[in-house]
């Protein structure tokens, strides 16, 4: 079965975007643009899931000239009717049901890329196996929160930490995913 991983960055105070929805503050404290954690993560991924707002931000602001996830099959969860391509599939399926279907397929892992609404639905349903969270050395004070009320506790096990350029990667696994008896 494919593992489902959230890989995302957040401010020290828990926001994934500022109050205008911007992510231009997601930089370290210096000039080092070390991408080792990203490249280490994506080597085990073949599928990306994201919501409409994340998709729209990528194609209009972050990378309007080229699709940055061309090495993966992407599913955009949206109620908008858009035409799918070989690599980008627009779907209005329930994200939990979509993940159940994709988890059974052959291949590598599934990356939950964003945004907050999609992530919060999946956390609420306890559908994420691994949490790769990079803490950016910035306090925003307001914006779009990564985690809201899940309605229940999810116990995690810290697998690894690493720091680069003032940013800290925290890698957790759901305890029940590692050992169903915990």
């Amino acid at each position: 079965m494919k593992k489902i991983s959230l890989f995302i960055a957040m401010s020290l105070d828990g926001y994934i975007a500022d109050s205008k929805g911007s992510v231009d503050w997601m930089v370290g404290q210096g000039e080092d643009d070390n991408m080792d954690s990203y490249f280490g993560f994506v080597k085990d991924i073949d599928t990306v899931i994201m919501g409409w707002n994340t998709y729209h931000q990528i194609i209009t602001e972050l990378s309007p000239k080229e699709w940055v996830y061309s090495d993966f099959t992407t599913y955009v969860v949206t109620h908008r009717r858009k035409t799918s391509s070989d690599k980008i599939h627009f779907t209005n399926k329930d994200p939990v049901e979509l993940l159940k279907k994709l988890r059974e397929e052959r291949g590598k892992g599934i990356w939950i890329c964003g945004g907050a609404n999609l992530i919060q639905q999946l956390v609420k349903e306890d559908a994420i196996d691994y949490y790769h969270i990079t803490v950016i050395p910035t306090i925003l004070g307001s914006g779009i929160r990564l985690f809201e009320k899940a309605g229940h506790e999810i116990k995690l096990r810290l697998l690894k930490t690493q720091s680069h350029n003032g940013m800290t990667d925290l890698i957790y696994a759901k305890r029940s995913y590692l050992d169903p008896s915990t």
Side-chain angles (χ1 to χ4, degrees), residues 28-81:
Q29 61 193 22
E31 299 297 318
D32 179 17
D33 283 340
N34 184 331
M35 298 282 287
D36 289 349
S37 61
Y38 171 80
F39 291 119
F41 173 75
V42 297
K43 71 179 177 47
D44 295 323
I45 297 297
D46 65 6
T47 305
V48 178
I49 309 286
M50 66 182 67
W52 172 260
N53 289 341
T54 300
Y55 169 77
H56 190 258
Q57 186 174 44
I58 291 168
I59 65 166
T60 61
E61 296 173 40
L62 303 176
S63 183
K65 293 185 184 209
E66 73 173 302
W67 181 241
V68 293
Y69 301 125
S70 60
D71 292 340
F72 314 106
T73 300
T74 301
Y75 289 85
V76 179
V77 179
T78 180
H79 295 294
R80 299 170 196 264
R81 293 192 180 270

Side-chain angles (χ1 to χ4, degrees), residues 12 17 26 36-37 44 69 74 80 84 86 90 93 106 113 126 142 147 182:
L12 183 61
M26 285 189 179
D36 289 349
S37 61
D44 295 323
Y69 301 125
T74 301
R80 299 170 196 264
S84 295
D86 288 345
F90 296 94
K93 285 185 181 178
R106 294 172 87 62
C113 181
D126 203 10
S142 67
F147 299 113
T182 61

Side-chain angles (χ1 to χ4, degrees), residues 127-171:
I128 299 171
D129 304 318
Y130 289 86
Y131 293 78
H132 297 246
I133 299 171
T134 300
V135 179
I136 307 295
T138 299
I139 296 173
L140 290 177
S142 67
I144 300 171
R145 283 214 170 271
L146 174 55
F147 299 113
E148 287 292 338
K149 298 174 185 169
H152 58 91
E153 180 180 42
I154 299 173
K155 292 187 182 286
L156 305 173
R157 181 172 316 281
L158 180 64
L159 301 177
K160 183 178 180 182
T161 63
Q162 59 190 29
S163 295
H164 52 92
N165 198 15
M167 300 178 286
T168 302
D169 298 329
L170 304 168
I171 303 170

Side-chain angles (χ1 to χ4, degrees), residues 2-5 44-48 107-111:
K2 290 183 168 193
K3 69 180 182 180
I4 299 169
S5 301
D44 295 323
I45 297 297
D46 65 6
T47 305
V48 178
K108 296 180 179 181
I110 301 168
W111 171 12

Side-chain angles (χ1 to χ4, degrees), residues 6 8-10 14-16 116 119-120 133 144-148:
L6 171 65
I8 199 161
M10 72 176 190
Y15 296 99
I16 59 172
I119 294 165
Q120 290 164 12
I133 299 171
I144 300 171
R145 283 214 170 271
L146 174 55
F147 299 113
E148 287 292 338

Side-chain angles (χ1 to χ4, degrees), residues 155 157 175-182:
K155 292 187 182 286
R157 181 172 316 281
R175 287 187 208 171
S176 61
Y177 184 77
L178 293 175
D179 179 5
S181 66
T182 61

